C-alpha cells in the first residue's frame, strides 16, 4: 500500500501546470480541478503510474479510467470516432462529456487503464488549469474523481486532501469547481447510449442528435467480458457514512436535512443540521453544491441524512442518480469489493 508519500499542495500560480506536468512525467499522481470534479491524474501511457493510481484510490482494477486530452487531434490518436461521436465532440468539447469509443490502432493508453477492454473513455475538460496541464505534458492523462473509491467525489482541494493526503504526490488547488457532478458518459461504439448521467444534460444532447438516448442500466453486463458496462456505476457509490433517506417529506429526530427549494418541510426546525442545495430551486446551483453539502452534513455525524425531492429534468437526472447511489444498501458497495493486486 502506498502510504507516507508526502503530498504537496500548490496554488493556481503561473508555474502550477509545468510542475504538475513534471510530476506526471515522472510517474507521479497529481490531483487537479476539472470543471466537473477534481480528478486524480496519472500519465495514461505509464503502466506503473496507472497501477499506483488504482492503489491510491483503493479502486478495483476492473473499473476502467477516463483518458483526458486537450483537443480533438489528441483524442483521435487514441480513439476511433464515427460521425455521431464526432458530432457530439464538436458540439460539447471541451466540456462535461465523456465518450466511450473503440480504441484507435496504436492507442497509447495503458491496458490496465482500460481494464483490458477494446474501448476507451475519452474527455476534453474545459477547466483552464486542466487544459494547461494536458498541454504541458503532451500525453493523455487518466483521471478518476480524486476520492477514495466509494466515497463522495471532491469539489474542492480540501476534499481531495481529506481523502488522499499521504497517498498522492501533488494537489493543485484551483478553487471550487463549477459544475459539481461528474461528466455525462455516452457510449458511441454502436448506437449511442447514456452510460452515466452527468454535467451535460441529456436533453441538450438529444436536441443535437435528434433522437432519444437509451439509458443502459447500471447493472447491465458487458457480456463478452462479464464486466459491468460502466463498472463505476455499481450500486452504492458516492456514499457518505450516514444513512441517506430520499424523498423526505418530514424530518425525524436526529436527522440532518439536505433541502431543495424555498419551502421548508415538516420538522425542518428540529433537523440536527440543515443545508439547502438551492434555495431558489436552481438545478445548476444544486449540482455545484451536492457533494460538498453531503460531506458537510456527514461530518456532523447525524443519525441519517433526509433529502428533499429534487426534480428529474435537466441536471436533476445526474443529481438524483448520485443521491440514489448515496442511499443504496451498503452491502453491495464498490468500496467493499476486495481490491485486487494490480501488476
Ligand atoms: O467528470 C468526470 O468524468 C471526472 C473528471 C475527473 O474528469 N472523472 C470521473 O472518473 O468521474 P471516474 O473514474 O470516477 O468515472 C469514470 C467512469 C466509471 O464509471 C468507469 O466505469 C467508466 O467511466 N468507464 C471508463 N472507461 C470505460 C469504458 N471503456 N467503457 C465503459 N465505461 C467506462
Ligand atoms: Mg468516481
Amino acid at each position: 500500500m502506498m502510504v507516507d508519500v508526502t503530498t504537496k499542495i500548490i496554488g493556481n500560480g503561473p508555474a502550477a501546470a509545468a510542475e504538475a506536468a513534471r510530476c506526471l512525467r515522472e510517474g507521479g499522481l497529481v490531483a487537479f480541478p476539472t470543471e466537473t470534479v477534481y480528478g486524480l491524474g496519472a500519465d495514461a501511457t505509464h503502466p506503473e503510474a496507472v497501477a499506483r493510481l488504482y492503489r491510491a484510490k483503493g479502486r478495483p482494477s476492473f473499473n476502467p479510467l477516463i483518458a483526458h486530452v486537450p483537443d480533438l487531434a489528441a483524442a483521435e490518436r487514441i480513439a476511433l470516432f464515427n460521425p455521431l461521436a464526432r458530432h457530439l465532440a464538436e458540439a460539447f468539447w471541451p466540456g462535461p462529456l465523456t465518450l466511450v469509443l473503440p480504441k484507435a490502432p496504436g492507442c497509447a493508453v495503458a491496458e490496465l487503464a482500460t481494464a483490458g477492454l477494446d474501448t476507451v473513455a475519452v474527455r476534453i475538460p474545459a477547466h483552464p488549469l486542466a487544459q494547461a496541464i494536458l498541454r504541458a505534458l503532451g500525453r493523455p492523462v487518466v483521471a478518476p474523481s480524486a476520492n477514495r473509491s466509494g466515497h463522495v467525489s471532491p469539489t474542492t482541494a480540501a476534499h481531495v486532501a481529506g481523502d488522499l493526503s499521504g497517498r498522492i504526490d501533488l494537489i493543485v488547488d484551483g478553487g471550487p469547481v463549477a459544475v459539481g457532478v461528474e461528466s455525462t458518459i455516452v457510449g458511441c461504439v454502436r448506437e449511442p447510449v447514456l452510460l452515466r448521467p452527468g454535467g451535460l444534460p441529456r436533453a441538450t444532447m438529444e436536441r443535437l442528435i435528434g433522437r432519444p438516448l437509451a439509458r443502459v442500466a447500471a447493472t447491465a453486463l458487458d457480456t463478452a467480458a462479464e464486466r459491468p458496462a460502466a463498472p463505476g456505476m455499481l450500486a452504492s457509490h458516492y456514499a457518505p457514512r450516514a444513512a441517506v433517506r430520499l424523498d423526505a417529506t418530514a424530518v425525524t429526530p436526529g436527522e440532518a436535512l439536505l433541502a431543495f427549494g424555498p419551502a421548508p418541510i415538516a420538522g425542518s426546525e428540529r433537523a440536527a443540521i440543515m443545508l439547502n442545495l438551492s434555495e431558489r430551486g436552481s438545478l445548476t446551483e444544486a449540482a455545484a453544491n451536492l457533494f460538498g453539502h453531503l460531506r458537510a452534513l456527514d461530518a456532523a455525524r447525524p443519525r441519517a441524512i433526509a433529502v428533499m425531492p429534487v426534480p428529474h429534468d435537466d441536471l436533476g437526472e445526474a443529481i438524483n442518480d448520485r443521491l440514489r447511489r448515496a442511499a443504496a444498501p451498503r452491502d453491495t458497495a464498490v468500496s467493499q469489493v476486495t481490491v485486487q493486486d494490480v501488476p
Side-chain angles (χ1 to χ4, degrees), residues 18-107:
E19 179 164 356
R22 193 176 331 117
C23 185
L24 289 166
R25 195 169 292 118
E26 289 164 2
L29 302 181
V30 178
F32 60 89
T34 79
E35 72 278 29
T36 56
V37 299
Y38 272 73
L40 177 59
D43 176 349
T45 69
H46 193 312
E48 275 162 50
V50 177
R52 282 185 72 206
L53 173 50
Y54 278 98
R55 276 201 294 272
K57 272 199 61 129
R59 177 172 175 123
S61 59
F62 57 73
N63 189 1
L65 304 169
I66 298 171
H68 296 66
V69 290
D71 52 42
L72 196 52
E76 286 180 310
R77 284 195 285 278
I78 60 174
L80 296 175
F81 287 72
N82 60 30
L84 189 113
R86 189 176 307 277
H87 200 35
L88 286 166
E90 282 168 355
F92 301 121
W93 275 349
L97 171 69
T98 294
L99 296 175
V100 173
L101 302 167
K103 279 182 183 167
C107 170

